[in-house]
Amino acid sequence: MERIFLSSPHMSDEGYEQEYVQEAFDTNWIAPLGKNVDGFEEELAEMVGIDHATALSSGTAAIHLALKAVGVGEGDIVFCQSLTFSATANPIVYEGAKPVFIDSEPGNWNMDPKLLEEAFEKYTPKAVLIVHLYGLSAKIDEIKAICEKHNVPLIEDAAESLGTIYKDQWTGAFGDYGIFSFNGNKIITTSGGGMLVSNNEEGIQKAKFWATQAREPERHYQHEEIGYNYRMSNIVAGIGRGQLKVLEDRVQQKRHIFNTYKKGLADIEEISFIDEMEDERANFWLSTLLIDSDEVTPTMIMDALKEENIESRPVWKPMHIQPVFSKYDSVGGEVSEEYFEKGICLPSDTKMTDEDLERVVQIIRGIF
Ligand SMILES: *Cc1c(COP(=O)(O)O)cnc(C)c1O
C-alpha cells in the first residue's frame, strides 16, 4: 500500500506556485527580497486582517523577533504554553530570558486562562506566549483581556493555525504579535519559512531591520545592534503566494478529515476528540484523539497504523517535563501530561481520499 502521511506538502493543482517561482527566475529576482516577498506579506496580511507582516526564514525566527520586539531580554520572565513544539520555547532562551510554563485547560489543548491569572500572582513577566495547538484556537479573548489588565504584551504562536477563525477574527491577529510557519508539514508550506504579523508598524520595521543583520541606513556597513539573517527568499515567497490561493481548500479538507474520524469512531467510548469551540472555525491541522482505556494504548494504535504504512504521531511532550526545560518553573502541568499520555495525532494529509480515511478508521476500530 502507498504510504499515508501525517501531513505532507500539497501544492495547488493549478500550478500557481510554479508561476510565481518562474516569474522570479524570469526577472532574476533570486534574492531575499523582491516582488514575491512583498506580495506574500501583503496578501497574507490582508487575509489575516492585520496591517503589517514580514516574511522570514522560519516560524522560529518569527517567534524570536516577536520576543525581541516586545523587549524580552536577559533575565526576563516569559509565560509560555507548556503543551507545544519546542520551537515555541527555544527563542525565549536564545534571548537569555526564562520561560515559566503554563498548563492547558481541561477540554482545550491550550493555555488555561485561570492558570495564567495564577501565574501573574507569582511573577511579573515581560511577555505571554500562547499557542493555537493543532489548529484549534486558545481562549484568546480571555487571555488577551488578562494580558491587557496586567499590561503585558501577548504573542500568538499561530504556526499551526493559519486559517482558524475565532469570534470573527483570525488567530494570529489577536495579540501584539502573531507568527505563522510554512514548514513542510504545516497547512500550507513554502518548504520552510515563517511570517511575523502585527498592527504595530514600527515593530515590524524593527523586525525587518534585525532580520537583515541590523544594517543601519548608511552607505557604508554600519552596525549598532546584533542582527540576524532571517529574511525569506523571493523564490520561497513565490511558493507561499501560490499556496495562499488554496488555503481555504486545505482548511475545508482538514475539517472533512476531522469530521470523518469523529463520525467513524463516535461509538467507541474510550475515544474522545477535542473539538472547536462555539464561535470557532478551526483549521484542524492535525486530527488528534484521546484514548481513555486500560487495554488500548496510543502506542498500540500507532504500531497498528505503522504496520499498514500509515504515519501517526504522539501528542507533543509538554515543555515542563522536557529535560532541557525542566529547571524552569511551571504552573499546573497535569492536564498537558495527560494529553501527552493519551493522545495520538492521526494522519491528516489533505491528499488523503475518503477510502484512505475509511481504512484508518477501520484499523483503529479493529483494535477495540
Ligand atoms: C512548526 C511550529 C513552529 C516552528 O515553525 P518553523 O517554521 O518550523 O520554525 C513553532 N511553533 C509551533 C507550535 C509549531 O508547530
Side-chain angles (χ1 to χ4, degrees), residues 258-330:
F258 179 83
N259 286 317
T260 305
Y261 286 138
K262 208 177 113 184
K263 215 164 117 198
L265 300 166
D267 59 325
I268 300 177
E269 264 177 33
E270 296 92 331
I271 291 180
S272 63
F273 290 90
I274 292 179
D275 212 329
E276 59 195 353
M277 294 181 278
E278 219 178 298
D279 295 328
E280 178 179 2
R281 196 288 295 260
N283 79 5
F284 289 110
W285 172 56
L286 293 184
S287 286
T288 301
L289 58 74
L290 294 165
I291 303 170
D292 210 342
S293 165
D294 295 331
E295 281 112 59
V296 180
T297 61
T299 311
M300 284 164 67
I301 294 184
M302 285 188 281
D303 284 346
L305 292 170
K306 194 173 168 210
E307 222 45 15
E308 301 282 329
N309 204 16
I310 299 170
E311 191 183 11
S312 62
R313 169 203 279 181
V315 159
W316 300 121
K317 180 173 177 176
M319 294 304 112
H320 71 276
I321 51 171
Q322 294 285 1
V324 69
F325 293 124
S326 59
K327 68 178 176 209
Y328 299 107
D329 197 9
S330 57

